[in-house]
Amino acid sequence: MPPRLILLLDEALDSTKETCIRKGDIAKKGEKLFLYKESTCYVTAPTSGTITSIAPFTGDFGENATYLVLEKDGKDEPADGISDFADVPDLAAADGALRTLPGAPPLELLAAPDSKINKIVISGMDSDLMSTTRQYLASKCMDDIKDGIERIKNMTGITDVFMAIPEKMSQLSAFQGMNTIKLTQDYIGTLPQMIMKNHMGIAPAAGTSCEDLGVCFMSIEAVLSLTRAYKEKAPVFDKIITVIGKDGGIKRVSAVIGTPIHRILTQLGLETREMDRIIIGGPLEGFSAYTLYHPVQPDMDTIILQDCEDIPGVSDYPCINCGKCVRICPAGVPVNLLVRYLEANLYQEAVDSFDLDACIDCGLCSYVCTARIPIFQYIRLGKHEQLMLEAEMETEAENA
Amino acid sequence: MHKQNKFTVSHAPFWHDGDSIGETNKNIMVAALPAIVFGVFQFGMAALGVICLAISSAMAWEALFQFISKRSIQIGDYNAAVIGMLTGMMLPATVPWWVVIVGTLVSVVLGQQVFGGIGANPFNPAVIGIAVLSVSWGTYFDFDAALLSYEFDFTALAPLGALDHQGVAATELFSTQSLLMGNQVGAIGSVFGLGLIIGGLYLILRGYIRWEISVAYIAGIIITAALFQMSNPEAYAGPMFHLFTGYTLLAVFFLAPESSSSPVNLIPMLIYGIMGGVMTILIRNIGAYADGTLYAILIINLINPVIDMIRPKALGKGVNNA
């Protein structure tokens, strides 16, 4: 475990309010740290130590978060009531303690009083290319998986639990008796919306998420972490990560949540140069980190290093209507027309006439674009702007 | 924290399939090579001169216009080179130099740049250029007259011209095989049927043109010509004659599938292609022009935006998409 951990809190730092945690506070292992009194989101301290810094963190689209730096004191002192959750295995207790387990179990979603979830898909296959984290876990620890699935069924009362695994997996027989969904190795087939459409007979509706349709996707690592947490009666913090170097060499490491990624890279002897790219998540759907101090997150399955010379450029060419995006789009979006509207900031038209809301975020349109337009970026921006617009209209309607 | 490297931060996806506009255009030029090389063998150095002048003047016009209109100069993407090359391929080898230069001016500037440059042209730029030339200086497009000084060891008549003047009896002068092998009088890049087919297949296999358009265009030609021939074999030539003469194959593989003036959805591509074939034959058989290909392409370019609105419902839009 590194001497210094960085914990990300998904809440913006507000200078007008007094924070709960302050610089110099002592945190104990397993202690939940809230930013403000009324906060609902928390991080769990993986070890005991002192908070040495609280600072704002900016993500994609100016999304604000806060990071805490935890200086380890080496005592690993457990917090009071760290194992309370294990006494009564119910959803609320689990949500109260285990939300930040490796694999990021969607406990908040399941525990929500108005939850419409009636099916759970446990995904034993990585959704993006290159990553092997989930496939690796699916092939190990079979008993723990079964145990975890039983526990989830008991906790949630949902009996429709599916297990999505690669169809070519060697230990396929071990999953006998479970509801399995066998996936081919192609990228599109592993996307949640496509699993729903192809294997569960649920037609995704444009503008609604899988959760709205009652399907909750959960990574296999989340299941395993839950099992381990209940066995050990304490939260666990070891995350399995696939690290892919510039040469394409794949390594799998286990790291404590909060570890700055430069520690992992140094350990593996991977070096970075100026202007390289650090990709977190997969090559098609991930994001790029701007610092090597980016911490390991509960849902971070992959780190990819891309050499600065291997980075494909984007251009400011207009769409030349070659039609490759339309051919490849799994959602049937008229990308060639959509991108013209997005470039002109006409987001409402993009939703109304050109199916922006049907996009399932696979990123393939940008991957094949002959004109090298950053289409996926336009699409994400368009969706983001559209959400903001809708939220604005709602507040206006409320105020009126 | 010590000083650290700056990293490239950008949006997903982080990979690309490696294609680019320049790459596409280079491949189109490679695909046109067999037809052009044959044209040069057939018509001599004059043909090479026309092609070279067309390519270079098109690139110069594009650069000049982009400079004047204060756009970034995109000469390196070979876009103008392809337009110039196609314009040159549709000209006879003996055309005067100034016709070539005027042609590429119309192609590049009026055909594309005034609409906003690459990707914004509603019509195929090269077709615009040739259409304007053939209307303005039609005499240069009388291939029989233009190539009078040449001596060929085959029937030295432009097949479509012969058909127009002499009626269907003229088709007997040309066997399908000799048409395919380029034994005909015509424009530099349009006489060698086999070469155009090889180039077209290359583009289709590499995915640089949409095969649906080419296949539908051929189907349109064959069906319409066959119907005409069945109705009156005395008056109308057969489908193979039409397929291998004039600009037909050039249109099938190079002109009709030009990306920004053609549709991208399946059903529209089929309609577009078949319409192209149908219009070509209608103009040839009923209209006043010996070769209707140019106007057929302009007409299908015109309907492209309308028919391309026929598209499949997007995922999750099956119920209430208006």
Side-chain angles (χ1 to χ4, degrees):
Chain A
M1 190 183 287
R4 202 181 281 131
L5 293 174
I6 297 168
L7 304 172
L8 267 184
L9 253 174
D10 193 15
E11 191 170 6
L13 202 56
D14 184 346
S15 56
T16 59
K17 287 198 282 187
E18 185 122 350
T19 54
C20 267
I21 19 170
R22 289 198 200 91
K23 227 168 136 174
D25 278 4
I26 306 288
K28 288 178 180 166
K29 182 182 180 176
E31 188 177 331
K32 290 194 288 176
L33 306 172
F34 290 94
L35 193 56
Y36 298 109
K37 276 200 198 91
E38 62 277 17
S39 296
T40 52
C41 76
Y42 62 84
V43 282
T44 323
T47 183
S48 61
T50 317
I51 306 285
T52 54
S53 162
I54 302 176
F57 173 88
T58 313
D60 278 3
F61 299 119
E63 177 193 307
N64 287 312
T66 306
Y67 71 83
L68 314 172
V69 178
L70 181 72
E71 198 91 35
K72 177 172 98 165
D73 61 10
K75 290 183 211 151
D76 217 17
E77 202 177 327
D80 302 333
I82 186 173
S83 54
D84 284 359
F85 72 92
D87 300 341
V88 242
D90 78 341
L91 217 46
D95 181 39
L98 303 175
R99 217 187 274 171
T100 56
L101 285 190
L107 294 166
E108 193 180 1
L109 179 73
L110 291 168
D114 55 348
S115 164
K116 283 180 284 185
I117 303 293
N118 52 32
K119 289 186 178 64
I120 297 175
V121 179
I122 294 165
S123 137
M125 196 158 168
D126 300 82
S127 64
D128 209 332
L129 299 168
M130 300 296 280
S131 178
T132 53
T133 302
R134 292 184 195 168
Q135 290 188 53
Y136 164 76
L137 287 168
S139 63
K140 305 270 164 199
C141 345
M142 202 59 65
D143 296 334
D144 284 358
I145 295 172
K146 286 183 182 156
D147 189 59
I149 291 177
E150 279 314 307
R151 181 168 285 111
I152 289 166
K153 281 186 182 169
N154 291 338
M155 276 191 341
T156 58
I158 298 170
T159 48
D160 268 354
V161 178
F162 297 85
M163 182 76 214
I165 43 172
E167 63 176 3
K168 290 213 181 104
M169 200 172 142
S170 49
Q171 298 104 322
L172 214 52
S173 56
F175 289 98
Q176 259 169 6
M178 285 189 223
N179 273 335
T180 48
I181 295 174
K182 294 185 187 99
L183 300 177
T184 49
Q185 291 282 357
D186 66 347
Y187 165 63
I188 295 279
T190 60
L191 296 169
Q193 285 91 337
M194 287 294 137
I195 294 178
M196 276 170 53
K197 181 173 165 250
N198 298 340
H199 299 278
M200 302 171 73
I202 304 173
T208 54
S209 60
C210 300
E211 290 82 52
D212 294 337
L213 296 168
V215 186
C216 169
F217 284 81
M218 188 167 180
S219 91
I220 196 155
E221 189 166 26
V223 177
L224 288 170
S225 311
L226 281 176
T227 311
R228 281 174 55 210
Y230 278 98
K231 268 192 191 160
E232 294 170 19
K233 293 194 189 307
V236 289
F237 299 98
D238 307 320
K239 173 86 186 81
I240 304 288
I241 301 169
T242 310
V243 183
I244 297 156
K246 292 177 188 177
D247 54 355
I250 298 179
K251 296 192 177 87
R252 230 176 276 110
V253 295
S254 164
V256 174
I257 287 175
T259 308
I261 54 180
H262 75 92
R263 290 249 153 212
I264 299 174
L265 300 183
T266 322
Q267 201 80 42
L268 294 174
L270 296 171
E271 281 178 11
T272 52
R273 282 197 287 165
E274 185 92 355
M275 302 314 283
D276 282 354
R277 191 149 65 183
I278 307 162
I279 302 163
I280 292 176
L284 291 177
E285 290 175 292
F287 63 94
S288 46
Y290 54 80
T291 163
L292 279 176
Y293 290 91
H294 196 93
V296 170
Q297 293 280 92
D299 58 353
M300 183 197 282
D301 284 339
T302 324
I303 300 170
I304 302 175
L305 293 187
Q306 193 175 33
D307 194 87
C308 50
E309 280 160 23
D310 298 337
I311 297 178
V314 293
S315 81
D316 57 355
Y317 265 92
C319 170
I320 58 159
N321 211 40
C322 70
K324 275 164 78 184
C325 47
V326 175
R327 233 178 246 271
I328 205 161
C329 179
V333 175
V335 189
N336 62 327
L337 297 173
L338 174 66
V339 70
R340 291 158 211 251
Y341 283 79
L342 293 176
E343 280 179 328
N345 303 340
L346 298 169
Y347 302 119
Q348 193 59 51
E349 284 86 341
V351 177
D352 293 345
S353 315
F354 301 101
D355 304 322
L356 177 63
D357 49 350
C359 165
I360 60 170
D361 286 343
C362 69
L364 285 173
C365 47
S366 296
Y367 174 74
V368 300
C369 184
T370 297
R372 303 207 174 190
I373 303 170
I375 309 174
F376 192 29
Q377 184 168 5
Y378 278 122
I379 287 178
R380 283 243 179 107
L381 179 66
K383 287 183 171 179
H384 176 77
E385 292 286 328
Q386 188 59 26
L387 277 180
M388 305 249 289
L389 207 69
E390 274 166 19
E392 216 169 90
M393 270 152 56
E394 259 169 46
T395 15
E396 260 174 42
E398 274 168 25
N399 293 344
Chain B
M1 289 185 187
H2 60 81
K3 182 186 172 295
Q4 53 168 318
N5 289 333
K6 284 194 185 70
F7 295 106
T8 306
V9 184
S10 56
H11 199 278
F14 303 107
W15 286 353
H16 194 274
D17 68 356
D19 201 4
S20 68
I21 294 177
E23 201 63 32
T24 305
N25 285 333
K26 263 191 267 178
N27 276 285
I28 292 177
M29 293 173 84
V30 167
L33 267 186
I36 292 177
V37 169
F38 182 89
V40 172
F41 273 110
Q42 183 97 299
F43 304 114
M45 279 300 136
L48 185 65
V50 169
I51 296 285
C52 291
L53 182 62
I55 293 177
S56 51
S57 63
M59 291 173 96
W61 286 125
E62 189 195 60
L64 183 69
F65 191 85
Q66 282 173 342
F67 173 75
I68 293 172
S69 59
K70 298 197 174 95
R71 292 193 201 138
S72 56
I73 296 195
Q74 296 166 330
I75 198 161
D77 64 12
Y78 307 106
N79 170 50
V82 165
I83 297 174
M85 180 193 76
L86 290 173
T87 309
M89 284 170 80
M90 285 187 276
L91 292 170
T94 52
V95 76
W97 62 269
W98 57 268
V99 173
V100 179
I101 288 180
V102 172
T104 54
L105 169 69
V106 176
S107 291
V108 170
V109 178
L110 280 185
Q112 186 170 68
Q113 291 298 327
V114 291
F115 293 107
I118 184 168
N121 49 298
F123 299 102
N124 185 316
V127 174
I128 292 270
I130 294 297
V132 168
L133 286 187
S134 65
V135 169
S136 312
W137 294 283
T139 47
Y140 295 117
F141 286 84
D142 181 346
F143 293 107
D144 294 324
L147 301 170
L148 206 55
S149 57
Y150 284 83
E151 275 193 26
F152 297 111
D153 51 3
F154 51 83
T155 316
L157 281 175
L160 287 172
L163 176 68
D164 210 25
H165 298 303
Q166 303 171 14
V168 82
T171 61
E172 278 161 29
L173 298 169
F174 310 95
S175 74
T176 304
Q177 198 192 349
S178 69
L179 288 177
L180 196 58
M181 295 314 296
N183 291 332
Q184 57 174 314
V185 167
I188 300 166
S190 73
V191 289
F192 186 31
L194 188 64
L196 288 169
I197 293 172
I198 291 171
L201 287 179
Y202 170 77
L203 289 178
I204 286 174
L205 291 176
R206 295 289 307 269
Y208 288 115
I209 57 170
R210 282 159 258 157
W211 62 269
E212 294 91 338
I213 294 177
S214 301
V215 169
Y217 203 113
I218 294 174
I221 294 265
I222 291 179
I223 293 168
T224 321
L227 286 177
F228 267 104
Q229 199 189 22
M230 274 194 287
S231 74
N232 188 357
E234 305 290 301
Y236 301 113
M240 288 304 137
F241 180 80
H242 282 293
L243 193 56
F244 298 124
T245 52
Y247 295 141
T248 313
L249 285 173
L250 200 59
V252 165
F253 295 114
F254 292 89
L255 303 176
E258 195 269 333
S259 59
S260 72
S261 53
S262 60
V264 296
N265 293 302
L266 178 64
I267 296 171
M269 283 195 282
L270 297 179
I271 299 178
Y272 174 89
I274 289 174
M275 277 283 289
V278 171
M279 291 311 298
T280 305
I281 300 297
L282 280 184
I283 298 173
R284 284 183 187 177
N285 282 352
I286 300 177
Y289 295 96
D291 190 354
T293 317
L294 294 176
Y295 304 101
I297 294 203
L298 292 180
I299 289 168
I300 54 174
N301 285 167
L302 200 61
I303 61 162
N304 157 44
V306 185
I307 52 171
D308 210 16
M309 281 153 72
I310 307 170
R311 55 184 169 85
K313 295 244 185 292
L315 189 70
K317 285 278 180 102
V319 202
N320 52 0
N321 189 21

